[in-house]
Amino acid sequence: MKYASERQAAVDAVLRAGRLCQAVQARLVAGTTLTKGDRSPVTVADFGAQAIVSHLLAEAFPDDPLVGEEDADALREASNASLKQKVIDGVATILPSLSEDEILNAIDRGTYAGGGQGRHWTLDPIDGTKGFLRLDQYAVALGLIEDGEVVLGVLGCPNLPIDAANPEAGRGCLFIGVKGQGATMRTFDNATERAVSVTD
């Protein structure tokens, strides 16, 4: 099946990043947000999710660049030492073998500018930061682009109820789509996939 290895790597990366986001959101406290120049909140989960996805994709596809949202410059500033430590600690719960430098370098790997030629990944580590901060809905969104066309996408929704009629039955859904192969959904805790489609 075309894109099988890319699909598996993307699912694994988004699932692990989603688990970090669930853990960070569960213990959201003062001091875990930072304000960017455009005044949008950036959280420990933004940096941590980008570090995890970036590192895992670099291991699987070292020649594929990544368009991300964050760079680690702010974390390297002395005034943000506490925030940096929270990012390092969070990533360590998912990828314990990574050093501080490896985590910061993985975040920085997401600075590729993109373009319409060749192949690259694109990541929104927290799509819906305000929803995340309100303990509501958000997503980890990852796509593979070849010559300007999206050929694979994985959307991790860590806070989405598995059963809308019974939100307390569990949360965490992954949606996976591959060009020409349709789309599926699975939960964070069960790898069984089922086909999904749009309604008429």
Side-chain angles (χ1 to χ4, degrees):
M1 175 173 26
K2 193 170 184 185
Y3 302 113
S5 58
E6 290 89 344
R7 184 186 197 277
Q8 182 55 49
V11 166
D12 180 51
V14 171
L15 182 61
R16 290 194 200 198
R19 290 191 191 286
L20 168 74
C21 294
Q22 284 177 322
V24 172
Q25 192 181 48
R27 63 180 185 271
L28 191 60
V29 294
T32 60
T33 62
L34 172 71
T35 303
K36 286 198 283 195
D38 65 359
R39 307 297 295 165
S40 64
V42 181
T43 65
V44 170
D46 273 304
F47 288 112
Q50 183 160 314
I52 289 166
V53 171
S54 175
H55 177 79
L56 293 174
L57 290 180
E59 281 190 330
F61 305 102
D63 296 329
D64 289 358
L66 174 69
V67 176
E69 284 202 339
E70 312 303 340
D71 66 57
D73 288 348
L75 295 180
R76 290 186 175 96
E77 294 174 9
S79 60
N80 291 321
S82 175
L83 177 64
K84 177 177 74 173
Q85 193 58 52
K86 288 175 183 173
V87 172
I88 302 303
D89 292 345
V91 172
T93 65
I94 306 296
L95 299 173
S97 66
L98 294 187
S99 69
E100 177 180 312
D101 284 341
E102 288 172 319
I103 292 169
L104 297 178
N105 290 337
I107 294 168
D108 283 337
R109 190 176 161 272
T111 58
Y112 180 68
Q117 300 295 318
R119 168 175 149 143
H120 65 273
W121 296 87
T122 184
L123 171 69
D124 188 339
I126 299 286
D127 185 4
T129 303
K130 290 180 182 178
F132 177 89
L133 293 171
R134 288 193 311 262
L135 308 180
D136 203 350
Q137 298 305 317
Y138 63 97
V140 179
L142 178 64
L144 175 61
I145 299 174
E146 290 184 342
D147 295 325
E149 184 177 351
V150 178
V151 295
L152 180 150
V154 177
L155 188 68
C157 304
N159 207 30
L160 188 67
I162 295 166
D163 179 357
N166 183 12
E168 301 311 311
R171 295 177 183 268
C173 299
L174 278 177
F175 297 90
I176 307 146
V178 179
K179 182 181 177 186
Q181 298 174 32
T184 60
M185 176 267 200
R186 60 160 283 185
T187 70
F188 274 31
D189 297 324
N190 187 333
T192 303
E193 296 181 14
R194 65 177 175 85
V196 294
S197 62
V198 296
T199 65
D200 292 337

